[in-house]
Amino acid sequence: MTIDENLLVLLLALLLDRIAGDPQWLWSRMPHPVVMFGAAISYADRQLNPASLTGSQRRMNGIAAILALLLLAVAAGFVFSRFFALFGLVGILLETGLVAIFLAQKSLADHVAAVAAGLRDEGLAGGRAAVSRIVGRDPETLDEPAVCRAAIESLAENFSDGVVAPALWYAVFGLPGLFAYKMLNTADSLIGHKSEKYIDFGWAAARLDDVANWPAARLSILLIAAGAWIRRGTSAGREAIRVAMRDGALHRSPNSGRPEAAMAGALNVQLAGPRIYGGVIVREPMINDTGRDVATSGDIEDGVSVFYASCMVLAGVTFGLFLCFL
């Protein structure tokens, strides 16, 4: 496909995902593509990451594994792309459906909104149960403001790597780029953490994922600022950019802090700070430490509103670029 065709498909996929989301009726009957990516990564892990290897051997095997997995993803994307090209308009519609599967607008917003609903309907226990489905930190250690912060942070971070990054990689490189990005992002989630088992084997996946998400994380700042301007006014949009520029680098991730800081500025709340993962305290400075120190379920709902407006801006930018490339 040419870039204008990619942009058309992306625009349609953004609209489809915004309306339909992730069809659970479908994934209860067949495996989600990301699940298949995860199975390939797990197979490589079992074959190439035995405990008997030294750290340097694990690192070399990890490099070889992620390169092979990315090559497999690119090849699969190329095959699907050529296959869809055989069917003209029908192929465009099929590709639109496939691209929509890899976007996470409605599903992300629904999961985050469920945290606010859980707090409202079932109190702290309901909020903890809902937030445990979208974050890795220990839910029993979270009070209500911490539950709200966790939900907002997940919303902002996943806007970047669950919506903006796949959209960007597809727009530029088509299905091969989209498949490669999702393979890499899935690998980072599964083997990219700093446990004893994966600190070496997952090193290459984690570093490459940082590189792949770098552009989207910065673009997300502008999109969140635009969404904040639409939903909350000029000052909120301005604060989103100001806080992102000032505090975006405070996060341990080179990318996650950027959209989180933008959302913190847009909502005027503090995010990040110390938290507990698997019983281990991770100490980080507060993002937007001059903002409100008590986040509420109302802030979650405001964040979802900003998120949807930011997604709308992304669709608008895609449409504008499509017209430019016609």
Side-chain angles (χ1 to χ4, degrees), residues 6-319:
N6 285 352
L7 290 167
L8 174 60
V9 168
L10 177 59
L11 176 61
L12 296 174
L14 286 166
L15 296 175
L16 177 61
D17 178 59
R18 174 64 181 85
I19 295 168
D22 223 10
Q24 292 304 313
W25 60 266
L26 177 62
W27 308 129
S28 64
R29 293 169 172 79
M30 61 180 293
H32 193 286
V34 172
V35 173
M36 292 189 280
F37 287 176
I41 295 161
S42 297
Y43 177 80
D45 180 22
R46 291 193 302 271
Q47 298 300 313
L48 299 174
N49 191 29
S52 58
L53 297 182
T54 66
S56 60
Q57 289 172 323
R58 287 185 177 192
R59 180 166 293 199
M60 291 303 297
N61 280 4
I63 294 171
I66 194 61
L67 291 178
L69 288 166
L70 289 175
L71 182 61
L72 178 65
V74 168
F78 180 78
V79 169
F80 272 97
S81 182
R82 294 301 297 269
F83 176 73
F84 291 147
L86 298 174
F87 298 97
L89 178 59
V90 173
I92 289 176
L93 296 177
L94 290 172
E95 187 158 330
T96 294
L98 182 57
V99 174
I101 287 170
F102 290 98
L103 301 172
Q105 295 171 102
K106 189 175 186 299
S107 60
L108 174 57
D110 286 349
H111 279 93
V112 173
V115 179
L119 288 168
R120 182 175 57 251
D121 298 339
E122 303 174 45
L124 182 56
R128 284 173 170 172
V131 85
S132 69
R133 302 184 186 104
I134 58 174
V135 301
R137 64 197 71 176
D138 298 340
E140 296 306 314
T141 67
L142 304 177
D143 59 13
E144 185 167 330
V147 167
C148 295
R149 288 197 303 272
I152 295 167
E153 290 162 17
S154 179
L155 178 68
E157 178 183 352
N158 285 289
F159 172 60
S160 176
D161 62 19
V163 179
V164 181
L168 186 60
W169 280 87
Y170 176 78
V172 178
F173 298 109
L175 286 178
L178 176 62
F179 280 24
Y181 172 76
K182 293 303 293 188
M183 178 68 82
L184 182 59
N185 193 239
T186 305
D188 179 62
S189 298
L190 293 178
I191 64 174
H193 38 89
K194 294 182 179 179
S195 64
E196 181 179 354
K197 182 177 181 181
Y198 293 120
I199 191 168
D200 290 305
F201 184 72
W203 174 83
R207 298 291 78 75
L208 287 174
D209 185 70
D210 288 341
V211 173
N213 278 297
W214 195 97
R218 277 75 187 167
L219 178 58
S220 295
I221 295 172
L222 299 177
L223 293 170
I224 289 172
W229 175 74
I230 291 170
R231 296 299 189 202
R232 298 174 60 81
T234 304
S235 62
R238 185 166 52 244
E239 279 298 290
I241 293 177
R242 186 184 70 82
V243 175
M245 297 300 292
R246 186 190 69 192
D247 294 349
L250 295 179
H251 199 283
R252 70 186 186 280
S253 164
N255 296 314
S256 298
R258 269 65 186 187
E260 287 186 22
M263 188 65 79
L267 302 179
N268 187 33
V269 294
Q270 297 178 4
L271 295 179
R275 47 215 190 267
I276 300 175
Y277 293 89
V280 178
I281 298 178
V282 176
R283 300 191 181 277
E284 290 185 1
M286 279 289 183
I287 291 174
N288 193 28
D289 60 0
T290 58
R292 287 181 293 107
D293 59 359
V294 177
T296 67
S297 59
D299 292 315
I300 297 176
E301 292 166 346
D302 288 344
V304 171
S305 176
V306 169
F307 165 80
Y308 269 141
S310 302
C311 291
M312 181 176 67
V313 173
L314 176 60
V317 170
T318 303
F319 179 62

